Amino acid sequence: MSKTIIVTGGAGFIGSNFIHTLVAERPDWRIVNLDALTYAGNLENLAAVETHPGYTFVHGDIRRAEDVARAFDAAGQVDYLVHFAAESHVDRSIESGLPFVTSNVVGTQVLLDVSRERGLGKFVHVSTDEVYGSLGETGYFTEDTPLSPNSPYSASKTASDLLVRAAVHTHGFPACITRCSNNYGPWQFPEKLIPLMIANARADKALPIYGDGLYVRDWLYVVDHCEAILRVAEAGEAGEVYNIGGNNEYPNLTIVKTLLQALGKPESLITFVKDRPGHDRRYAIDASKIRAELGWEPRFTFEQALPLTIRWYESQDEWTQRVMSGAYRDYYDRQYGDRV
Ligand code: NAD
Ligand code: DAU
């Protein structure tokens, strides 16, 4: 049956992939994308869905109740709201934490307030494994691992998780929280490890590795993440937390060497640089709950999806150049003018 969904942050990396997943897998749904178009929001990612009959873009900021209300007005009765909108980059949060508090914490509370007032079927809050802090050499994050964030980014995501939890507990608000490991795939802003390293290697520029390069991340192809989120929206139990991950742990140095080999570039491009302050040593997700309760499994292995990702960036030189030069920001004016 046709449903209506609001997606916040739909012009970002995972949000735009999620909208592509929706258009492919739920073509009769009505989709309202609410996005402020910060530096990370790029409507070019969604050029192929602009003519989709059920798709509407609302230019607005989740920190402003009137902007969120405009998204609800555009949607009518809302079945699902999936909340991606956030400041997402750890290094930027180390430089300046305040935008992370206003968008991730205040923005989430504004969204919760308007959603409660207007009413909806299910609210999915997209969070991160970083709220659990850092692991030693062994073990996995489960949904019961104590919250122990270490960066201003992860602290702001933890605060937003707790506000969602409080809305469930206090108001019986129908929300689920998802916590995912590192994503990779198309349309990722080239400030994050994999797209940055691909862009630099292809341009024969130095590849900056923080510290000893032995920090471990657990990589998940973004398409698998999007399918997990759709499963949580449709079948997740309100009040529950679901970890999402693909059992793909690799040290950063292994990722970078694999990329260099695939691109036919020399390892001499690797440059060790000063470490990220407070750098979490290892993340690894136990995703057995979502597998057992919602039947979600990743479809892609790392060996399949990394080459797909590399090929995608190789075929998108213009996209990469426009993102790196900032030219992608003109697209909004060209495409939308004063229409939104
Ligand atoms: P991104 O930085 O690529 O995109 C964020 C989007 O949110 C952008 O389109 C931006 O314009 C929008 N936005 C930011 N502040 C806003 C505001 N105040 N109002 C409206 N829109 C705003 O982020 P991403 O990597 O796609 O991550 C999406 C979500 O998933 C985030 O909540 C992040 O914490 C979470 N997450 C990301 C990863 C990952 O590996 N990228 C992993 C786990 C969880
Ligand atoms: O774990 C989920 C999180 O993954 C998400 O919540 C965040 O939104 C997302 O940005 C990501 O955070 P990370 O800090 O793990 O991602 P990033 O790509 O910035 O870094 C990955 C690893 O690579 C980390 O150990 C730092 C290292 N790194 C990163 C960059 C950009 C480098 O060594 N050099 C670099 O230039």
Side-chain angles (χ1 to χ4, degrees), residues 76-121:
Q77 185 169 335
V78 176
D79 296 292
Y80 309 117
L81 187 153
V82 177
H83 176 31
F84 293 100
E87 290 294 335
S88 69
H89 191 37
V90 173
D91 291 325
R92 285 180 191 255
S93 80
I94 294 167
E95 247 178 44
S96 171
L98 198 55
F100 289 74
V101 175
T102 61
S103 280
N104 302 1
V105 185
V106 177
T108 298
Q109 185 61 50
V110 170
L111 203 56
L112 288 169
D113 290 344
V114 177
S115 299
R116 274 203 311 115
E117 193 188 303
R118 295 297 191 98
L120 45 64

Side-chain angles (χ1 to χ4, degrees), residues 9 11-15 35 38-41 62 83-94 96-101 103-105 126-130 151-157 180-183 187-193 195 217 225 276 283:
F13 162 49
I14 307 175
D35 200 297
T38 69
Y39 80 95
I62 57 165
H83 176 31
F84 293 100
E87 290 294 335
S88 69
H89 191 37
V90 173
D91 291 325
R92 285 180 191 255
S93 80
I94 294 167
S96 171
L98 198 55
F100 289 74
V101 175
S103 280
N104 302 1
V105 185
V126 180
S127 189
T128 168
D129 59 359
E130 298 201 12
S151 70
Y153 162 69
S154 54
S156 71
K157 291 296 289 187
C180 188
S181 57
N182 287 59
N183 284 218
W187 293 300
Q188 186 166 29
F189 199 86
E191 63 184 355
K192 307 283 167 64
L193 184 75
R217 295 294 182 263
H225 185 194
R276 171 187 280 176
Y283 303 145

Side-chain angles (χ1 to χ4, degrees), residues 137 209-217 250-254 257 272 275 279-282:
E137 282 182 12
I209 303 283
Y210 299 161
D212 62 6
L214 300 180
Y215 293 84
V216 173
R217 295 294 182 263
Y250 291 101
N252 297 334
L253 205 49
T254 305
K257 286 183 177 175
F272 289 93
D275 210 347
H279 200 168
D280 285 336
R281 191 62 168 169
R282 174 172 168 257

Side-chain angles (χ1 to χ4, degrees), residues 188-209:
Q188 186 166 29
F189 199 86
E191 63 184 355
K192 307 283 167 64
L193 184 75
I194 288 183
L196 178 72
M197 297 298 157
I198 294 174
N200 281 15
R202 295 192 65 228
D204 295 310
K205 283 190 183 160
L207 271 46
I209 303 283

Side-chain angles (χ1 to χ4, degrees), residues 41-258:
N42 183 353
L43 287 175
E44 291 183 4
N45 302 358
L46 293 164
V49 307
E50 257 153 17
T51 53
H52 182 71
Y55 173 74
T56 306
F57 174 63
V58 174
H59 187 197
D61 192 317
I62 57 165
R63 293 170 289 193
R64 292 164 51 96
E66 57 272 34
D67 288 4
V68 179
R70 277 195 294 120
F72 273 83
D73 291 341
Q77 185 169 335
V78 176
D79 296 292
Y80 309 117
L81 187 153
V82 177
H83 176 31
F84 293 100
E87 290 294 335
S88 69
H89 191 37
V90 173
D91 291 325
R92 285 180 191 255
S93 80
I94 294 167
E95 247 178 44
S96 171
L98 198 55
F100 289 74
V101 175
T102 61
S103 280
N104 302 1
V105 185
V106 177
T108 298
Q109 185 61 50
V110 170
L111 203 56
L112 288 169
D113 290 344
V114 177
S115 299
R116 274 203 311 115
E117 193 188 303
R118 295 297 191 98
L120 45 64
K122 171 107 45 82
F123 183 107
V124 180
H125 177 64
V126 180
S127 189
T128 168
D129 59 359
E130 298 201 12
V131 299
Y132 298 123
S134 186
L135 290 165
E137 282 182 12
T138 58
Y140 295 91
F141 296 132
T142 73
E143 288 81 359
D144 297 324
T145 301
L147 303 180
S148 182
N150 290 318
S151 70
Y153 162 69
S154 54
S156 71
K157 291 296 289 187
T158 307
S160 66
D161 285 20
L162 293 179
L163 292 171
V164 174
R165 182 183 183 278
V168 171
H169 186 81
T170 306
H171 301 293
F173 185 68
C176 295
I177 296 174
T178 62
R179 296 190 180 130
C180 188
S181 57
N182 287 59
N183 284 218
Y184 65 100
W187 293 300
Q188 186 166 29
F189 199 86
E191 63 184 355
K192 307 283 167 64
L193 184 75
I194 288 183
L196 178 72
M197 297 298 157
I198 294 174
N200 281 15
R202 295 192 65 228
D204 295 310
K205 283 190 183 160
L207 271 46
I209 303 283
Y210 299 161
D212 62 6
L214 300 180
Y215 293 84
V216 173
R217 295 294 182 263
D218 183 357
W219 295 94
L220 183 70
Y221 191 46
V222 65
V223 172
D224 281 324
H225 185 194
C226 291
E227 290 177 358
I229 288 170
L230 182 54
R231 192 70 62 89
V232 172
E234 292 182 318
E237 199 176 318
E240 291 296 315
V241 176
Y242 298 94
N243 280 355
I244 305 172
N247 279 355
N248 270 302
E249 283 183 59
Y250 291 101
N252 297 334
L253 205 49
T254 305
I255 297 283
V256 170
K257 286 183 177 175
T258 307

